[in-house]
Amino acid sequence: MIAYAVRRLLIGIPVLIAASIFVFVVASFSGNPIDDMEARNPPVPLETRQLEAHRLGLDKPLVERYVNWLGNLVLHGDFGQSTEKTINIGDQLGDRLWVTLRLVFVAMLLAVLLAVISGVLSAVKQYSKIDYGFTFVGFLALSIPSFWLALLLKEAGVAYNQSTGSQVFYTLGDQDYNHDTFDTWGKITDIAGHMVLPTISLTLITYAAWSRYQRSAMLEVLNSDYVRLARSKGLRRRQVMIRHALRTALIPLATITAVDIGGIFGGAVITETVFNWSGMGTYLLESVTRRDVNSLLGWLLVSGLVVIVFNIIADLLYAVLDPRIRYE
């Protein structure tokens, strides 16, 4: 199984390279950051613009620029120069990835738990009030745009804080500006407090679709021959549900979770923007605004690697959920 995971990881490398080439070409032709210097009033001197173009490597052919970027990354772990001289792309990606991953991980965990619970209950109690209730909530969450849901939660948090006269919900930032002065427990509670509303927003828009998949998969398994055989053998209902039905029904959910990880990162971009988080989402928007090609490539590389790793984890879970699946 370890060899399989390593092979899958190696196969993902050409995919990342192909994606980076596409992004590099599109970003390079979408605009030149030196153009902003020329448009200033008064315009930046020509010599200064030439020095900046040389620093960013914009005075070299497109292919040579990409080869140099890839070589420096592989040999030295250098993501290249940013259009902002004070920004180190590697450090920025490391700090912001941690901010986004903690949001995405907690939101995915809660979404999976809610999807499993609601999906199983809906399938077991098919066409009951419980089923109709979970179905209504799921379709309601699916119909609400993610940015609108985040804005509603933010406004609700602000209104509640104003009505109570205390800071119960944090609506701006991923941590307090005095975060570094807190003790360990203070830092944990500070981060947890700022995560409440963004996590709820990202969880709801993710859970809705997954719960429908889980319900459908559970219904299909409950109507299968081997589950009916297990019941006819006199096994306890709980044993049939957990050991025979639920384990098999979790396989489609593991698949859709791995496939949706890219979409979850997209939802994180919107959520982080609404709540003014300093994560990967806002870093992407800032890089696009600055026309910072190297920052865009670094963002793509890190995000793509996260997606590939999550897909490998999902593949490995198949063997845990269904012992018949084995990787040679």
Side-chain angles (χ1 to χ4, degrees):
M1 190 175 293
I2 296 178
Y4 168 80
V6 172
R7 286 201 305 271
R8 283 294 307 274
L9 194 61
L10 293 177
I11 291 174
I13 294 177
V15 176
L16 285 177
I17 293 177
S20 67
I21 293 175
F22 175 78
V23 171
F24 184 82
V25 173
V26 172
S28 297
F29 283 102
S30 64
N32 190 330
I34 305 301
D35 295 340
D36 295 334
M37 302 175 67
E38 297 177 3
R40 295 177 186 175
N41 189 15
V44 178
L46 177 61
E47 182 179 357
T48 302
R49 299 200 303 267
Q50 290 176 343
L51 289 174
E52 182 66 10
H54 178 73
R55 184 182 71 87
L56 297 174
L58 299 177
D59 55 346
K60 298 177 182 178
L62 192 66
V63 176
E64 184 179 351
R65 285 165 50 194
Y66 178 80
V67 171
N68 289 339
W69 173 83
L70 186 62
N72 289 332
L73 178 63
V74 174
L75 298 178
H76 308 291
D78 183 9
F79 286 90
Q81 296 290 326
S82 171
T83 54
E84 295 289 335
K85 295 181 180 180
T86 58
I87 291 180
N88 184 293
I89 297 177
D91 293 341
Q92 284 284 308
L93 288 173
D95 295 339
R96 292 177 181 251
L97 180 63
W98 159 242
V99 172
T100 299
L101 277 184
R102 72 191 186 207
L103 172 63
V104 170
F105 178 78
V106 175
M108 285 184 62
L109 181 61
L110 292 176
V112 168
L113 290 176
L114 289 174
V116 171
I117 294 173
S118 62
V120 170
L121 289 177
S122 294
V124 173
K125 303 289 185 179
Q126 189 180 18
Y127 303 133
S128 65
K129 292 182 179 180
I130 293 177
D131 184 21
Y132 289 133
F134 282 126
T135 300
F136 174 77
V137 173
F139 281 118
L140 181 64
L142 281 173
S143 64
I144 299 178
S146 57
F147 71 91
W148 191 50
L149 176 60
L151 286 172
L152 286 177
L153 289 173
K154 182 177 181 179
E155 291 300 320
V158 172
Y160 186 87
N161 290 339
Q162 291 177 347
S163 63
T164 58
S166 59
Q167 186 75 32
V168 178
F169 295 104
Y170 296 90
T171 57
L172 286 177
D174 56 279
Q175 62 185 32
D176 192 271
Y177 66 94
N178 286 325
H179 179 81
D180 293 336
T181 62
F182 299 159
D183 57 15
T184 302
W185 178 248
K187 291 180 179 179
I188 294 175
T189 55
D190 178 47
I191 291 176
H194 284 82
M195 286 183 61
V196 173
L197 293 181
T199 301
I200 293 175
S201 174
L202 195 57
T203 297
L204 289 178
I205 62 176
T206 307
Y207 136 83
W210 291 357
S211 65
R212 308 314 300 164
Y213 277 102
Q214 184 61 32
R215 179 183 182 274
S216 177
M218 194 68 182
L219 282 173
E220 182 179 353
V221 173
L222 289 176
N223 295 321
S224 62
D225 293 336
Y226 75 89
V227 171
R228 285 197 290 266
L229 175 62
R231 288 172 176 170
S232 65
K233 290 167 60 177
L235 296 179
R236 289 179 301 174
R237 179 181 177 84
R238 182 174 180 178
Q239 186 177 7
V240 172
M241 288 296 174
I242 296 178
R243 293 192 59 185
H244 296 274
L246 181 57
R247 287 183 63 177
T248 304
L250 285 176
I251 294 179
L253 181 61
T255 302
I256 195 62
T257 301
V259 172
D260 281 353
I261 182 63
I264 296 174
F265 262 85
V269 172
I270 299 173
T271 304
E272 289 178 358
T273 302
V274 172
F275 290 97
N276 196 27
W277 274 40
S278 298
M280 293 289 285
T282 52
Y283 186 73
L284 172 64
L285 297 178
E286 292 169 1
S287 300
V288 172
T289 303
R290 298 195 307 263
R291 302 176 184 177
D292 194 339
V293 177
N294 289 335
S295 293
L296 284 174
L297 288 173
W299 185 93
L300 171 71
L301 184 69
V302 173
S303 302
L305 185 61
V306 170
V307 171
I308 290 173
V309 169
F310 269 89
N311 276 270
I312 293 175
I313 293 174
D315 286 346
L316 298 180
L317 280 177
Y318 296 158
V320 177
L321 296 172
D322 189 346
R324 295 172 299 177
I325 300 175
R326 288 291 179 265
Y327 299 111
E328 296 297 334

